[in-house]
Amino acid sequence: MRYVSTRQQSPSVTGSQAIIYGIAPDGGLYVPESIPAVDVAFIRALCGMDYRHRAAAVLGLYLDEFSEEELDGITAASYAANFDSPAVAPLHILDDDTAVLELWHGPTCAFKDMALQIMPRLLTASLRKNGEERTVSILVATSGDTGKAALEGFRDVPGTRIMVFYPRDGVSQVQKLQMATQEGANVNVTAVDGNFDDAQTGVKRIFADRDFEKVLDGRGYFLSSANSINWGRLAPQIAYYFSAYCDWVNAGLVQMGESVDFCVPTGNFGDILAGWYAKRMGLPVGRLICASNENNVLADFIAEGVYDKNRPFHLTSSPSMDILVSSNLERLLFCLTGDGARVRGYMRALTSSGRYDVGEDLRRAVQAEFTGGWCSDRACREEIGRLWQEQGYLMDTHTAVASRVLDDLRAREGVRRPCVVLSTASPFKFGGAVLSALGVVTDETGPALVDELAALTGIGAPAPLAGLGKKQVRFTEWVAVADMEKAVSAFLS
Ligand SMILES: *Cc1c(COP(=O)(O)O)cnc(C)c1O
């Protein structure tokens, strides 16, 4: 299978090359030239498999340069004891028509692990396939969870280095501590004096700097991305939509072939886009509900067909969704139009004026498959409290945004269709906000919140978070946005 750029000004590449280079030379994102189709027999076969085999079967359809044994080996190593649930991504059934897909049983307690525990293995295998001898240097801008998950995924992987930038005041204390205490000889963590979009724009500028590329090449390095724009991040996420569907069928609550909705807490549009691929492949998905927090640029886009990032930026208690530029949306725009020139026009307009209007045809095409919704920070906290009181189920702030958006939609429409809510983080990762949602006023900060939440709810905290307070802090540096490239140069000297 070949991969093409969403801007159609770069040659097509293989899947392994798309994973190695991350972003196309024309600035576009790689998408598969065509989407593989599956039938009911394929889904039925998946229902009899464990997670790692489901993942290998789905990935094999996209990465045809990898043999079946190779992918089985990679998924077996990636989804193992590093996850604290044998199901890897267990489906928690809440009621007759609602299930929660828990994507946070990996080493960093957030859904990014689903992709980032496997992506470094896909990348190093891809490097071998292409005879690449330089050291790949992963550059990441993170709103919190990606950074830690990428660091964990790449730490001490031979032939790789990784540098993570995070917004100085845009991540939780626990997230900051998780990154600052990162182990590994090939890692660096640096704060940026700005918000997430500043950090992401800074990283994009470094990627676009051809002179800097030559300098690094001379030192034996080349840059790649582990951000959710990398196809190696997106492809593994497609698998858990299939897995959730199979688990619901296996539980006897959904008939094979019956369509179910998915409600996804969305930031960069990667998670939900994987669901769109699953749907296009033939998984019986009704609609994809795109849930935003107060940074509701996507909800407005789906309703109006106008993407407009000129609006106040809100720091919310679901910081991993505090995003005004959703990179992966570019893939959807290209896949729905097949028109790189049109996509280039939108991206140019986004850069110059922060806004683009896709017109009525494309707006309708988006609305045919996506429903947007958003909720306030206050509504998100109410939802955490309500679910804990009514169902004894504890969820984090990001998941609660999706859960609340789904509740509101069902109330407005007066019907309840079967829906899977994607749960993207452990509640212990955002302990302060979760405690306050449960009505607890606390002076504690950072890791002490983890213990306090465990004591209050009687739920055991995940091991990586329970031990965080005792780890040694290694990284305390911060830089101005303008100095990010200098910092990269120093790390790769
Ligand atoms: C990254 C993240 C999201 C948003 O996912 P996207 O793929 O960026 O849309 C939601 N919740 C949590 C906890 C995350 O870490």
Side-chain angles (χ1 to χ4, degrees), residues 111-112 145 265-271 320-321 398 424-425:
F111 101 100
K112 306 288 193 296
D145 294 327
T266 304
N268 241 329
F269 209 73
D271 197 359
S320 300
M321 297 157 70
H398 304 76
T424 50

Side-chain angles (χ1 to χ4, degrees), residues 100-395:
V100 180
L101 177 61
E102 295 182 348
L103 299 170
W104 40 262
H105 289 274
T108 74
C109 311
F111 101 100
K112 306 288 193 296
D113 290 331
M114 296 303 301
L116 279 164
Q117 283 298 300
I118 184 170
M119 191 265 190
R121 291 188 166 87
L122 292 174
L123 177 62
T124 45
S126 297
L127 290 170
R128 278 200 302 276
K129 284 183 200 304
N130 288 273
E132 177 60 66
E133 283 172 3
R134 291 172 298 171
T135 298
V136 59
S137 301
I138 304 297
L139 219 52
V140 181
T142 185
S143 54
D145 294 327
T146 300
K148 179 62 186 179
L151 289 161
E152 275 299 318
F154 279 95
R155 74 185 248 200
D156 295 326
V157 173
T160 73
R161 303 199 82 180
I162 175 164
M163 182 163 194
V164 169
F165 291 103
Y166 69 89
R168 214 177 160 192
D169 299 314
V171 301
S172 78
Q173 275 217 43
V174 169
Q175 286 175 317
K176 202 176 276 192
L177 198 58
Q178 278 186 308
M179 288 190 277
T181 57
Q182 179 63 43
E183 293 163 14
N186 61 338
V187 306
N188 180 278
V189 175
T190 301
V192 174
D193 196 19
N195 64 29
F196 171 70
D197 286 323
D198 296 327
Q200 174 150 280
T201 305
V203 163
K204 282 186 177 164
R205 207 178 302 129
I206 296 170
F207 275 117
D209 185 340
R210 295 288 157 253
D211 294 329
F212 189 51
E213 183 183 355
K214 286 197 196 87
V215 171
L216 292 182
D217 181 61
R219 298 181 194 167
Y221 293 106
F222 73 101
L223 295 178
S224 187
S225 143
N227 271 352
S228 63
I229 55 174
N230 191 303
W231 183 253
R233 283 279 304 280
L234 211 114
Q237 297 180 173
I238 301 170
Y240 54 68
Y241 285 87
F242 281 90
S243 183
Y245 188 85
C246 287
D247 284 347
W248 223 0
V249 168
N250 286 348
L253 296 168
V254 165
Q255 301 299 312
M256 176 60 76
E258 183 182 350
S259 89
V260 306
D261 294 347
F262 284 85
C263 185
V264 188
T266 304
N268 241 329
F269 209 73
D271 197 359
I272 195 167
L273 187 68
W276 180 82
Y277 275 99
K279 180 178 183 188
R280 281 293 169 106
M281 289 168 74
L283 186 71
V285 177
R287 59 182 170 179
L288 294 156
I289 303 164
C290 176
S292 304
N293 63 23
E294 288 164 0
N295 295 297
N296 55 0
V297 60
L298 281 167
D300 288 351
F301 170 71
I302 292 167
E304 294 154 18
V306 177
Y307 197 97
D308 190 350
K309 71 164 184 137
N310 303 306
R311 59 181 72 209
F313 178 78
H314 300 280
L315 288 175
T316 72
S317 50
S318 45
S320 300
M321 297 157 70
D322 289 346
I323 288 173
L324 291 179
V325 178
S326 296
S327 314
N328 267 299
L329 188 61
E330 179 171 344
R331 283 196 163 103
L332 181 71
L333 298 175
F334 178 72
C335 292
L336 292 178
T337 61
D339 185 346
R342 206 166 150 183
V343 172
R344 291 200 298 278
Y346 297 147
M347 294 305 127
R348 255 198 314 272
L350 187 63
T351 307
S352 61
S353 68
R355 179 182 188 280
Y356 59 85
D357 181 341
V358 297
E360 179 154 336
D361 61 330
L362 187 46
R363 174 174 60 79
R364 282 182 195 281
V366 170
Q367 287 171 346
E369 290 171 287
F370 293 88
T371 301
W374 68 280
C375 78
S376 68
D377 225 38
R378 185 188 176 144
C380 155
R381 286 163 193 245
E382 280 170 13
E383 183 73 359
I384 293 171
R386 187 185 72 77
L387 274 150
W388 175 244
Q389 267 145 35
E390 290 177 9
Q391 317 248 23
Y393 186 74
L394 191 65
M395 56 173 53

